[in-house]
């Protein structure tokens, strides 16, 4: 009989590529992880891992088992959800990992909505960058992730996750007031900014990926001279004439735009796609289901405005 807990350990090692990193994600010691993997190999009768430089990789047998592990773990989530639904009344805590703008736009309104529709459900909010919430979810550190599409994210058809689309928002060009394109009819062509110095988020930030994709599609690599994940700092640098930037529209709300020019851009790729995700099967849990509904409702109200 294969122990499902050891399948979770195998999944964590496959995700993090080292025993030490997997142990940290699972809140275990590296020796405990190694012991679980050794026991799993004994249970299956196959070597599941091989050394790969300083890390490890799955063997062919390990890859086969991992495919089944994802299905087994998703089914266990469904079983827990069905058992929880059997109990009368949904009351408890749900941990949601979300990036700052997502918290402001949909998560905070969802909390207000839940106070009316499901007062027994309490939310614990963790502020996490758009590329950090999904790993937290898969590692069990959160029950729901509010995340954005980015390079390297789990694919939309990843069987470990169930996704719920929330909203999409365009990026705007932020230019110094004296820039030749600061005023004029219609959107700014991204290609017209090819020769400019750029201000942008650090690599790893999903917004960095959006900027690169929009520029690559326009035929150039942006010359990123200044880097900041704080959009207020990006606006300040643009106002000082340090460069141009693409910034999500929502990040410009409630900010002082008097010293910069904000223009729409002509690229459909300059869009941030936001979704909620849970581990497959957990969407049926009586605590998680109303939270997803509240997030969807808040996103719908956002689109109406």
């Amino acid at each position: 009989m294969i122990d499902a807990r050891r399948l979770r350990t195998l999944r964590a090692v496959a995700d993090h590529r080292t025993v030490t990193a997997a142990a940290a994600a699972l809140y275990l010691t590296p020796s405990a992880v190694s012991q679980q993997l050794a026991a799993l190999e004994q249970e299956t009768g196959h070597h599941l891992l091989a050394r790969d430089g300083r890390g490890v990789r799955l063997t062919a047998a390990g890859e086969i088992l991992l495919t089944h592990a994802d299905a087994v773990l998703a089914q266990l989530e469904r079983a827990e959800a069905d058992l929880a639904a059997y109990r009368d009344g949904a009351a408890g805590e749900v941990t949601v990992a979300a990036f700052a703008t997502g918290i402001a736009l949909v998560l905070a309104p969802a909390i207000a909505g839940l106070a009316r529709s499901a007062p027994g459900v309490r939310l614990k909010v963790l502020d996490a960058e758009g590329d950090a919430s999904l790993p937290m979810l898969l590692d069990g550190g959160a029950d729901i992730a509010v995340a954005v599409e980015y390079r390297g994210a789990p694919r939309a058809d990843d069987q470990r996750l169930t996704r719920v689309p929330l909203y999409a928002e365009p990026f705007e060009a932020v230019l110094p007031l004296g820039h030749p394109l600061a005023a004029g009819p219609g959107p700014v062509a991204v290609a017209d900014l090819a020769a400019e110095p750029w201000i942008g988020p650090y690599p790893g930030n999903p917004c960095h990926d959006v900027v690169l994709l929009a520029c690559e599609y326009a035929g150039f690599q942006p010359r990123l001279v200044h880097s900041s994940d704080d959009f207020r700092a990006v606006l300040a640098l643009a106002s000082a004439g340090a460069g141009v930037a693409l910034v999500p529209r929502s990040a410009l709300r409630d900010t002082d735009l008097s010293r910069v020019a904000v223009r729409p851009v002509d690229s459909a790729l300059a869009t941030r796609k936001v979704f909620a995700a849970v581990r497959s099967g957990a969407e049926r849990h009586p605590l998680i289901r109303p939270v997803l509904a509240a997030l969807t409702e808040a996103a719908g109200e956002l689109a109406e405005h």
Side-chain angles (χ1 to χ4, degrees):
M1 182 71 69
I2 297 176
D3 190 323
R5 292 172 298 177
R6 292 168 186 156
L7 293 179
R8 293 189 189 276
T9 303
L10 182 69
R11 167 41 76 186
V13 172
D15 286 341
H16 296 281
R17 299 298 180 183
T18 70
V19 169
T20 300
L26 296 171
Y27 300 99
L28 297 173
T29 64
S31 62
V33 168
S34 297
Q35 290 170 9
Q36 289 195 23
L37 293 172
L40 186 59
E41 290 185 328
Q42 186 173 9
E43 287 173 346
T44 61
H46 291 279
H47 292 295
L48 303 175
L49 297 170
R51 291 198 174 277
D52 185 15
R54 295 184 178 181
V56 292
R57 60 174 175 81
L58 268 62
T59 63
E63 293 285 359
I64 291 171
L65 182 58
L66 187 67
T67 300
H68 292 285
D70 290 339
V72 169
L73 295 173
Q75 190 60 44
L76 286 174
E77 291 278 1
R78 295 185 188 100
E80 291 178 3
D82 288 346
L83 288 172
Y86 179 76
R87 296 193 298 265
D88 291 332
E93 184 176 83
V94 176
T95 300
V96 184
F99 60 103
T101 309
I103 292 173
L105 292 184
V106 293
L107 188 48
I111 291 175
L114 285 168
R116 299 185 297 271
S117 63
V121 179
R122 305 184 308 277
L123 292 193
K124 177 181 179 181
V125 178
L126 303 178
D127 188 341
E129 289 294 340
D131 59 337
S133 57
L134 290 177
M136 291 174 66
L137 173 67
L138 290 170
D139 290 336
D143 302 307
I144 299 175
V146 176
V148 301
E149 296 286 358
Y150 63 94
R151 291 180 182 180
R155 290 164 50 95
D157 59 355
D158 193 314
Q159 295 185 357
R160 297 173 294 166
L161 297 172
T162 296
R163 296 185 180 211
V164 178
L166 294 179
Y167 65 94
E169 63 171 326
F171 280 53
E172 308 273 23
V174 176
L175 312 171
L177 283 177
H179 193 279
L181 299 175
V188 171
V190 175
D192 289 344
L193 301 174
E196 301 290 342
W198 280 72
I199 311 159
Y202 284 101
N205 186 316
C207 290
H208 178 89
D209 292 339
V210 173
V211 172
L212 287 188
L213 282 171
C215 293
E216 287 171 3
Y217 189 78
F220 70 96
Q221 289 280 341
R223 182 164 57 93
L224 286 166
V225 177
H226 310 286
S227 297
S228 176
D229 288 333
D230 187 332
F231 290 120
R232 291 170 301 179
V234 172
L235 291 175
L237 288 168
S239 71
V244 302
L246 294 181
V247 176
R249 179 175 290 172
S250 62
L252 300 174
R253 294 186 178 187
D254 303 321
T255 58
D256 181 8
L257 302 177
S258 62
R259 295 182 296 169
V260 295
V262 178
R263 299 284 310 281
V265 294
D266 67 351
S267 174
L269 292 176
T271 302
R272 176 159 66 175
K273 297 178 181 178
V274 182
F275 61 92
V278 299
R279 293 181 294 276
S280 290
E283 69 276 8
R284 299 163 61 176
H285 196 286
L287 292 178
I288 290 178
R289 191 168 57 244
V291 179
L292 291 177
L295 287 169
T296 302
E297 181 180 356
E301 293 176 355
L302 179 65
E304 292 175 1
H305 293 84

